[in-house]
Amino acid sequence: MFLQSPSLSDGTPRSVITGPLRGCVGSLDGACIEKLLLHCATAIETNDVTLAQQVMWVLNNVASPIGDSNQRLASWFLRALVSRSSRVCHTTMNSDGGSAFPRRLMTVTELAGYVDLIPWHRFGFSASNSAIFDAVRGYPKVHILDFSITHCMQWPTLIDALAKRAEGPPSVRITVPVFRPPVPPLLNVSTAEVGHRLANFAKFRDVPFEFRMIGDDRFKSLSSHLTRSELDLGDHEALVINCQNWLRYLSDETKWSSGTKDPSLRDTFLDIIKNLNPRIVVVVDEDCNLSDSSLASRITTCFNYLWIPFDALETFLPKDSCQRLEYETDIGHKIENIVGLDGFQRIERLESGAKLSQRMKNAGFFGVRFREETVNEVKSLLDEHASGWGMKKEEVMLVLTWKGHSSVFASAWVSTEPDIS
């Protein structure tokens, strides 16, 4: 399947598998698969080609892209380890270097179905839009600076809510960067076309609307556009900064320059947006720490975390569902980046909600608690999905859970201390 090598069932002597690995042959237990993955990673890191091949042969018997959730998850980790081994060990292992199910550009309709499949994205949309709606109450103008990877899919719901506002709808401007991390989901229409469709929707709802793109296809040039003058911010305009699955793609590495420690790109970005004095900043991302330099740590954390969407999809989609395969493929690309790559090639650098909250506080932001109305809206959304989904409140965060395991966090922040009187 992944390696052009004989598997154990095809004649490889079981004697090559020794010690703790022997008990894992044929097992589908998640803990045993995790153990095999760690043994394989250790072999690769120590350039033990023989052991790496042996463990991969065992994994090849267990992994299957159309098996149960553990088998499907294992298949993507195996692919990532094969990719890593081909560079680190300089082995002759054969791998096609690509994905079993290549990325496909989605239509807007398909993207809507993708977002609706599980509440992974809709949870953040619902919590963020409710917090934004509250923050811009009474403002005649709203300017949303949107940093996200979901092609503005959250905004029709907010535009619709603003259209029904008791005091009348505000004028809405949405500004998006031309730069977008090269990650799924991918769309078959341009960002300009997305803006045009949003404008048509806003016109239908009688909401004055403007859509603008800034910068170019490089993130480093974006900072020069993030000034009040470049953004043409008005005195009576409520600035909203939306970060949905975005901060993880900004490097958190720091460098020493002239005897001083330079801030990371992530911290620099937060300093820039704080200086814009936004009315509110909403930050939504996956609640997991995957920025560790240790490969073993990343594998353990990633395996136990990304089990969540694989298990959730298992509950309601058949094994051969094309929709399921495509969704899992997008997760697989993330695994390939987290496990297979290092240095600046590894762009998936998640940090947990707790770590992100501390980073926001260090940057001078103050957390805003979500109102009960927001909590109830999110709970209503989750009622539309499988019973395994739930929500918990942690300090200033709302956290989406699957069977009690944290998956996605939503948080709201302001640049000056809120008045709680």
Side-chain angles (χ1 to χ4, degrees):
M1 183 194 310
F2 297 100
L3 308 174
Q4 303 300 317
S5 305
S7 67
L8 288 170
S9 59
D10 292 331
T12 301
R14 289 180 179 268
S15 59
V16 302
I17 304 300
T18 60
L21 301 188
R22 182 172 293 173
C24 290
V25 175
S27 172
L28 302 184
D29 177 74
C32 206
I33 292 174
E34 180 187 338
K35 186 188 297 183
L36 287 167
L37 293 172
L38 289 173
H39 276 294
C40 187
T42 299
I44 292 171
E45 294 298 276
T46 57
N47 207 20
D48 190 337
V49 177
T50 300
L51 180 58
Q53 288 179 324
Q54 291 171 358
V55 182
M56 285 180 182
W57 290 342
V58 178
L59 284 166
N60 202 36
N61 271 298
V62 173
S64 170
I66 54 173
D68 65 23
S69 55
N70 277 335
Q71 289 175 295
R72 297 164 89 101
L73 183 57
S75 72
W76 281 107
F77 273 88
L78 175 56
R79 184 175 299 280
L81 287 168
V82 170
S83 175
R84 187 179 184 91
S85 70
S86 66
R87 293 188 305 276
V88 176
C89 296
H90 306 291
T91 70
T92 57
M93 298 178 187
N94 292 320
S95 172
D96 59 13
S99 297
F101 309 103
R103 290 187 204 177
R104 182 174 64 85
L105 300 181
M106 297 181 181
T107 66
V108 173
T109 301
E110 288 170 333
L111 179 60
Y114 175 98
V115 168
D116 286 343
L117 197 58
I118 59 176
W120 207 261
H121 294 292
R122 291 184 67 203
F123 165 81
F125 293 173
S126 180
S128 297
N129 284 350
S130 183
I132 292 168
F133 185 88
D134 290 338
V136 302
R137 197 182 302 274
Y139 279 83
K141 298 180 180 180
V142 176
H143 189 165
I144 300 171
L145 190 51
D146 184 28
F147 300 97
S148 67
I149 63 169
T150 47
H151 309 281
C152 298
M153 284 297 295
Q154 81 181 81
W155 302 127
T157 303
L158 180 64
I159 291 171
D160 186 63
L162 291 172
K164 302 171 184 175
R165 202 168 69 164
E167 66 268 36
S171 64
V172 176
R173 282 203 292 165
I174 295 180
T175 299
V176 301
V178 172
F179 167 80
R180 179 187 181 278
V183 296
L186 303 177
L187 202 56
N188 71 346
V189 299
S190 67
T191 303
E193 174 62 20
V194 169
H196 178 69
R197 297 187 185 205
L198 276 177
N200 285 339
F201 180 79
K203 183 178 180 180
F204 173 72
R205 301 298 289 124
D206 294 322
V207 175
F209 184 82
E210 180 185 343
F211 186 85
R212 181 187 175 200
M213 294 182 289
I214 57 173
D216 55 30
D217 60 358
R218 299 170 302 158
F219 176 80
K220 288 185 178 180
S221 69
L222 179 61
S223 59
S224 62
H225 296 271
L226 299 181
T227 64
R228 296 191 68 86
S229 58
E230 279 286 323
L231 295 171
D232 191 26
L233 296 179
D235 292 336
H236 303 289
E237 187 174 51
L239 175 63
V240 173
I241 297 179
N242 183 65
C243 297
Q244 298 267 343
N245 302 91
W246 173 269
L247 290 178
R248 76 173 85 162
Y249 297 112
L250 306 184
S251 173
D252 59 345
E253 294 181 351
T254 57
K255 296 180 179 179
W256 288 90
S257 176
S258 302
T260 59
K261 195 175 185 180
D262 294 334
S264 69
L265 190 58
R266 197 171 300 183
D267 288 329
T268 299
F269 174 78
L270 293 179
D271 286 341
I272 291 173
I273 63 173
K274 185 176 186 299
N275 288 334
L276 293 174
N277 192 28
R279 177 68 182 166
I280 191 171
V281 179
V282 287
V283 180
V284 175
D285 218 321
E286 296 170 0
D287 195 10
C288 182
N289 184 34
L290 290 172
S291 58
D292 202 303
S293 59
S294 163
L295 176 61
S297 175
R298 295 203 306 272
I299 286 177
T300 296
T301 305
C302 187
F303 184 83
N304 287 283
Y305 175 69
L306 291 179
W307 160 84
I308 295 172
F310 277 83
D311 188 63
L313 294 170
E314 174 87 0
T315 62
F316 69 98
L317 287 178
K319 297 185 185 302
D320 59 351
S321 163
C322 291
Q323 196 175 23
R324 178 178 176 180
L325 291 171
E326 287 191 343
Y327 201 101
E328 290 174 343
T329 297
D330 285 353
I331 302 171
H333 284 292
K334 183 184 301 185
I335 294 170
E336 287 181 323
N337 189 263
I338 293 168
V339 175
L341 299 175
D342 281 316
F344 289 107
Q345 288 183 305
R346 180 163 60 84
I347 62 173
E348 292 282 350
R349 293 177 178 271
L350 268 171
E351 60 185 348
S352 66
K355 288 188 67 175
L356 187 280
S357 292
Q358 189 58 55
R359 186 185 293 272
M360 295 295 290
K361 292 173 184 176
N362 292 344
F365 288 96
F366 300 88
V368 178
R369 295 184 182 277
F370 291 93
R371 295 190 307 124
E372 280 305 309
E373 289 86 343
T374 299
V375 173
N376 292 332
E377 284 182 29
V378 176
K379 285 181 178 177
S380 296
L381 164 68
L382 297 183
D383 287 341
E384 301 173 17
H385 294 272
S387 60
W389 294 105
M391 183 185 63
K392 60 183 178 180
K393 292 189 284 186
E394 291 186 356
E395 201 173 345
V396 295
M397 295 189 299
L398 295 182
V399 182
L400 175 69
T401 62
W402 172 254
K403 297 181 179 179
H405 298 272
S406 299
S407 58
V408 178
F409 71 87
S411 59
W413 304 86
V414 291
S415 54
T416 55
E417 190 165 8
D419 183 4
I420 58 174
S421 61

